[in-house]
Amino acid sequence: MQRWPVLLFLAWVCFLFFAGIGLFMSGFLLTRIELASSSSCSDPLLPPPWQRQSLPPGSCWAPQRFSKAVLVIIDALRFEFAHFNPAKASPLPYENKLSFLHHLATSQPRHARLYRFRADPPTATMQRIKGLTTGSLPTFIDVGSNFASYAIQEDNLLAQLVQNGRRVVFMGDDTWEGLFPKKFFRSYFFPSFNVKDLHTVDDGILQHLYPTVDSGEWDMLIAHFLGVDHCGHKHGPDHPEMAKKLTQMNEMLRSLVDHLGNDTLLLVAGDHGMTETGDHGGESEKEVNAALFVYSRTPLFGTGPPEEPEAIPQVNLVPTVALLLGVPIPYSNIGEVMAELFSGDGDAVSAALQQLSVYHINAKQVDRFLQSYSLVAQDLPAEQLQRLQELFSGAVEEHTQLLDQVQGATLVPPELESRLGSLISRFQLYLREARAVCTQSWARFNSLRMVGGCTLIAASCLLCYVASELAASSDSFYRSCLLYPLLWGLVVAVLLGLAHVFTQEGLDLLLVSSCAAAASQLGFFWHWWGRHPKRARLVGSQPPLASIGLRQRLRAWLGLAFPMGILLFRCGAMFSDSFVVAEARVAPFLLASLVMLLVGKLHWDGRLTMPEGPKQQVLGFSSYRREIWYLLCLVAMLLVCVRLSGFFHQCREEIPQCRPSLFLSPLASLRNTRAKNLFYLLCVALLAGLVYAVRSWLRHYGNLNSSDPLVLFVRWGFPLVVLCIACYWAVASSADDSLGKLQELVQVAVVAFPWAVYGLASMGLLLLLCNPMTVFAKDTRESAGSIVTPYLGVPSSEVDFLHVIPQIYKRMQESQKSRLERGSCRATIAAYGLGSVYSAALVIALTLLGFLLMLLHSERLSLAFLLLFLEAFVLLHIHTRARGLAGDTVGCPLLLLWPFVCEMPSSQKKKPKKEPREELQEVEEHMMEMRLRESPEKFSTALLHLGLKYLFVLGAQLLACVCAAMILRRHLMVWKVFAPKFLFESLGFVVSSICLLLGISLVMRVDCAVSTWFSQLQLRAASHPPHPASGAYRPLQLPAFYDGST
């Protein structure tokens, strides 16, 4: 089998899985349909009181209460940050810092009030900005575009302000620039992506805030501060830096209020909260529980504040601000007005009548949106729409009748107040039920696409299993089993494209890709079923079971049933929400149990003991092989690693008694300077230890002896990368006030050091791709005999050449051994590192990837990545030792190349004792990875076999998650457990499959380099004349070879 068909076949299989994932996701996580309609002042939504009289100038739908408004968004302002509790004698760093808000609320209760501002998940900044401006709800899948914002096309508050001639001024987070292009009268944007920077955005706003307010050239001013959010990400909420940042916000609000006029409304809001570790994005109580503070110099509220702050959804802010400023409510709003802000200075009856008017407008606007949306989407339940229509019609009719009775003075005040309160409750019921119906509707499912995606994934898993069996039995199956399916898929894609061209409909690329994938799968199975006879399909490449005994047959079936049973158990557990919640604790336990079971199975099969001799009757410690002690040490090391991995855990909301790991937070969150320094030194020491271990391993196998650019990079580039990461950790974890005059230099270093690491890692990967050979050939220019091959002259074909390579390799080792026996180490050519050339390239690539991952996470999480490296090393050695003790020397292990690198003398079969010289000549030399070159066709087949089985295991787990999400889509925990698990497994499958393709591509690139290296040696050998004695071709004088270092 050639190299590129293997890679192409695996890429095709990955495409089949990707198509299934995309099709299922399009049916399971549909985005909400955005209506292009927008509100205007001419819309017939006026309530009865104002249908008969003209509105004041500058007002739409309702009289304007304020001509200006200031919206101060303090990113990640959790409610506990704004709430003041005077009873706390020793508050936490984030408590009781916004004392000015408490002062205003207590000294002017009718002018100021604090609310719990409930955010709708996901609590990412971009989704919250959409909710705060459109009054609608973002869907579950929209969170993926948090860092790639697109302009909001839906009707929103800013568009209504601009449309009605209002001047909007913005300063702060540059996310708004992408969401609302060309909507601002004046803007001051500052970069928001560097979460380590606590002051650039806030200081920039403070520089422009007060002059802008005093100028009066604005109608709506928005200031989006990021310091609190960035402080949470960097230090966490329970840190002195958070106290400093909140104190700064408190002083900013104190100064801002002094600059406000009587016609200005002040709104201080948090877009979301934060967890105890400073994170957000989910739906935990602390993430969705933000704060909203409302203030005006003129009275706002008719009554005093309640004992406990009222909780209101964030979408309620949009209709409230729109009507207070006298502009139309955005078309797609589903929020409810905060009616208490419309009470005015009159008595209770006039306040209730004013509130009913704005409720009437709000209800008409929501009813219009529901009618329009139901015509476009056609997925709102008809019975619920009917019930909402009845509620709306009844409330509007009763409101009209009540106004007629008020004008006719037929109601006494007590009865009127009761009727008004009842009618307000009916409007509130309608608006809240409408919001609930919309929330349920936007979680709708497309059953046909979900079933199609699930079928594609299931067929892909079956294809992986069948193709892996075909690859093991035939070396040329790929020509027919790849070419014909690709042609089938291409034909279907072309036909669908032509159909769309003739029908002039929009081309759904996802649907076309899914149909092409299904057609190619059908072509594969059709060709496989028609090409292979029934007997071959049933038996495949497995040995005939009729020729062996019953016990052997049972062993063969159990050998397959056990791993498949483990996989089925793993897949079946995906349907349990309890297992998914506790998976982080269950998986390490299962891993440790399986390893212990492996050792027990080896003991049960008698693989750990010596063969019994005629005098050996009683089993003792001396009867066990020496390898068992090494294996037990590896198992003990793995158990320790699994135990240590429990220190790196994140808590789910469903486990309230859990406490998140301290290692998840960055070093900057530590207040104890000594502990911070100790952890920093530990992280840097372990990072340097990783580099030392990798370099020692490469040096041990002779891969650091040459002067090639890649080897030089490993020698000097790896330490330089460690130095850059260590410097970045140092500046990122330091407190801002401790830097003093070096603040500007540190801001440059925070950006420069990561870019230096990215540049060095890119250089290393480029060198690895250009020349992955880490082999050093040393020529001592001494003739030492010839290597005779069956080919006269240069090999005439690639097959001949590939057959020559193992012979050259073996002859090099035999010649070197004979010279060492004679006491002479002089040789013609000594090759260092050739036996581990494949693994060396993979180890270098994985180390570079590890550097990037450690840089992208917090400092102390580097300990977890180093622990993963150690666990992988131990697992691979356990796997290799277990296969050696079981008698399997060549197979398809976790890492195809590792058993050859770890090849030890103890793994060879013990032979009868002979004379020392005879034993020296007969013991098989360790070919290491050059054993793969003995049969290149089998090497490529093994790569394909490995890749297909790996994709089969991942695909089976993905299929289980897909089925669980589809079957349990109406489950109470679908959006908290099963949907996130599906997204995680899907993303993990995509990343793992891409890494698989890149890894196999790297192995093939090394294989090409090895072939080129040997071909150059052959060309050098061709320049030698024939041997005068034998007349045979004398291709190469290579009597020496070294696996290890000098």
Side-chain angles (χ1 to χ4, degrees), residues 647-664:
F647 289 102
F648 303 91
H649 67 277
Q650 180 63 280
C651 292
R652 296 181 64 105
E653 184 186 0
E654 297 84 1
I655 310 178
Q657 68 275 13
C658 176
R659 293 294 177 267
S661 172
L662 297 176
F663 294 96
L664 299 179

Side-chain angles (χ1 to χ4, degrees), residues 455-471:
T455 304
L456 273 178
I457 296 174
S460 301
C461 292
L462 180 61
L463 187 147
C464 285
Y465 183 81
V466 171
S468 65
E469 297 299 324
L470 291 176

Side-chain angles (χ1 to χ4, degrees), residues 742-1006:
L742 299 177
Q743 183 67 36
E744 295 183 1
L745 183 61
V746 168
Q747 294 299 329
V748 175
V750 168
V751 178
F753 283 123
W755 278 108
V757 175
Y758 299 148
L760 289 172
S762 302
M763 181 189 301
L765 293 175
L766 186 61
L767 293 175
L768 185 63
L769 292 176
C770 293
N771 184 16
M773 289 288 290
T774 53
V775 178
F776 174 56
K778 184 178 180 181
D779 191 348
T780 61
R781 300 186 182 279
E782 176 183 337
S783 178
S786 63
I787 299 176
V788 180
T789 68
Y791 303 102
L792 301 178
V794 179
S796 58
S797 66
E798 183 180 358
V799 177
D800 296 344
F801 172 67
L802 293 175
H803 187 70
V804 169
I805 292 176
Q807 296 184 29
I808 296 176
Y809 188 93
K810 287 184 178 181
R811 186 68 183 98
M812 290 163 68
Q813 287 191 321
E814 292 171 1
S815 177
Q816 172 66 9
K817 188 164 187 177
S818 64
R819 287 183 173 274
L820 291 176
E821 183 184 0
R822 295 196 302 267
S824 174
C825 295
R826 293 173 296 176
T828 299
I829 293 182
Y832 300 90
L834 191 58
S836 58
V837 63
Y838 294 97
S839 294
L842 288 175
V843 167
I844 293 172
L846 290 175
T847 305
L848 292 173
L849 179 61
F851 288 149
L852 296 177
L853 291 176
M854 284 184 275
L855 182 67
L856 294 173
H857 292 77
S858 61
E859 299 88 350
R860 288 187 287 181
L861 269 183
S862 61
L863 306 178
F865 286 108
L866 297 175
L867 193 62
L868 283 176
F869 273 100
L870 183 59
E871 286 183 350
F873 175 83
V874 173
L875 276 174
L876 290 170
H877 272 274
I878 290 176
H879 183 82
T880 303
R881 287 288 176 173
R883 293 190 68 87
L885 291 170
D888 300 330
T889 57
V890 180
C892 184
L894 298 176
L895 183 62
L896 185 68
L897 314 171
W898 200 263
F900 306 114
V901 177
C902 303
E903 193 173 13
M904 302 294 288
S906 58
S907 66
Q908 307 295 335
K909 295 181 179 180
K910 191 168 183 179
K911 299 182 180 180
K913 188 173 182 180
K914 298 185 180 181
E915 294 296 326
R917 188 174 184 87
E918 294 178 354
E919 185 177 0
L920 189 64
Q921 293 175 352
E922 291 187 11
V923 172
E924 181 184 359
E925 294 292 344
H926 306 309
M927 293 288 291
M928 297 178 67
E929 291 176 1
M930 285 299 103
R931 189 186 298 275
L932 300 170
R933 303 292 309 206
E934 291 181 335
S935 180
E937 290 290 329
K938 291 184 179 180
F939 180 29
S940 300
T941 301
L943 280 176
L944 180 61
H945 194 65
L946 171 67
L948 289 173
K949 287 201 170 181
Y950 181 71
L951 291 175
F952 170 75
V953 173
L954 290 182
Q957 298 179 73
L958 175 64
L959 178 63
C961 289
V962 166
C963 292
M966 180 176 64
I967 295 173
L968 303 174
R969 62 186 181 274
R970 297 299 180 188
H971 193 276
L972 178 65
M973 305 293 287
V974 62
W975 298 117
K976 295 177 69 68
V977 176
F978 297 110
K981 180 62 176 174
F982 159 68
L983 291 178
F984 177 81
E985 288 293 336
S986 300
L987 182 61
F989 181 88
V990 172
V991 173
S992 299
S993 56
I994 292 176
C995 290
L996 173 69
L997 295 176
L998 293 177
I1000 291 182
S1001 301
L1002 179 59
V1003 172
M1004 292 181 173
R1005 175 67 185 93
V1006 177

Side-chain angles (χ1 to χ4, degrees), residues 642-718:
V642 170
R643 191 66 177 175
L644 291 177
S645 65
F647 289 102
F648 303 91
H649 67 277
Q650 180 63 280
C651 292
R652 296 181 64 105
E653 184 186 0
E654 297 84 1
I655 310 178
Q657 68 275 13
C658 176
R659 293 294 177 267
S661 172
L662 297 176
F663 294 96
L664 299 179
S665 57
L667 286 179
S669 63
L670 294 178
R671 287 182 283 177
N672 191 321
T673 305
R674 179 175 297 180
K676 181 189 296 186
N677 293 336
L678 289 176
F679 272 113
Y680 173 77
L681 293 176
L682 177 62
C683 294
V684 174
L686 291 178
L687 182 59
L690 171 65
V691 174
Y692 176 78
V694 171
R695 291 180 58 182
S696 300
W697 186 88
L698 294 172
R699 185 181 298 109
H700 173 72
Y701 286 106
N703 296 104
L704 290 184
N705 291 323
S706 70
S707 58
D708 291 337
L710 179 60
V711 176
L712 294 177
F713 179 81
V714 174
R715 288 179 181 175
W716 305 107
F718 277 17

Side-chain angles (χ1 to χ4, degrees), residues 147 167 204 229 385 409 411 457 464 507 584 596 606 830 928 940:
F147 300 122
R167 297 163 297 179
D229 179 67
L385 274 179
L411 293 176
I457 296 174
C464 285
L507 185 64
M596 298 297 295
M928 297 178 67
S940 300

Side-chain angles (χ1 to χ4, degrees), residues 588-653:
F589 171 77
L590 293 178
L591 175 62
S593 302
L594 286 176
V595 173
M596 298 297 295
L597 186 61
L598 173 65
V599 178
K601 184 177 184 300
L602 290 175
H603 178 74
W604 180 265
D605 294 339
R607 302 290 186 180
L608 304 182
T609 57
M610 298 286 190
E612 293 188 10
K615 298 181 181 180
Q616 187 176 0
Q617 300 295 337
V618 182
L619 289 177
F621 286 108
S622 60
S623 63
Y624 285 94
R625 297 186 181 185
R626 286 182 297 177
E627 296 89 334
I628 180 58
W629 307 115
Y630 183 69
L631 179 62
L632 291 179
C633 290
L634 291 174
V635 172
M637 189 181 301
L638 177 66
L639 295 179
V640 172
C641 291
V642 170
R643 191 66 177 175
L644 291 177
S645 65
F647 289 102
F648 303 91
H649 67 277
Q650 180 63 280
C651 292
R652 296 181 64 105
E653 184 186 0

